[in-house]
């Protein structure tokens, strides 16, 4: 299991604490693995989700560290979204 995924899941839990996450999201990290997020928090895993956010490790790292806005990443093609765009927008707001 990737140290990056464990660290990213922990950071994601910190960033979305108190946010109303209604659904399941998957952060698919190219060539590394995936992080699942639901009302119970973030964990390393790869399951079906209402929305999947796809990017490379550097992009997710920049988002989780607050250096890159998720909306900007999407608009520039660094982040792609498949599924529930409403949930993706809630996540973007929680991560920004």
């Amino acid at each position: 299991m990737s140290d990056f995924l464990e660290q990213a899941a922990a950071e994601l839990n910190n960033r979305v604490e108190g946010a109303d996450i209604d659904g399941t999201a998957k952060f698919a990290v190219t060539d590394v693995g995936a992080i699942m997020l639901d009302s119970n928090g973030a964990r390393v895993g790869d399951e079906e989700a209402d929305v999947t956010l796809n990017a490379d490790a550097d992009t997710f790292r920049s988002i989780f560290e607050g250096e890159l806005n998720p909306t900007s990443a999407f608009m520039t093609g660094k982040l792609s979204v498949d599924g529930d765009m409403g949930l993706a927008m809630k996540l973007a707001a929680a991560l920004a």
Side-chain angles (χ1 to χ4, degrees), residues 5-91:
L5 292 177
E6 290 292 339
Q7 292 171 353
E11 179 60 29
L12 190 54
N13 276 321
N14 290 335
R15 299 291 295 278
V16 299
E17 186 175 349
D20 182 24
I21 306 299
D22 185 29
T24 305
K26 180 185 339 186
F27 294 82
V29 185
T30 307
D31 297 328
V32 179
I35 299 168
M36 301 301 299
L37 176 67
D38 57 24
S39 60
N40 295 319
R43 66 190 180 288
V44 176
D46 189 4
E47 304 154 21
E48 290 292 316
D50 298 318
V51 65
T52 300
L53 292 84
N54 301 286
D56 61 27
D58 289 337
T59 299
F60 278 123
R61 183 177 290 114
S62 294
I63 290 171
F64 294 152
E65 292 177 353
E67 298 171 359
L68 178 62
N69 181 289
T71 303
S72 297
F74 176 75
M75 298 301 274
T76 59
K78 293 180 178 181
L79 175 71
S80 67
V81 178
D82 296 316
D84 185 342
M85 287 301 290
L87 180 55
M89 290 170 55
K90 282 184 183 179
L91 290 171

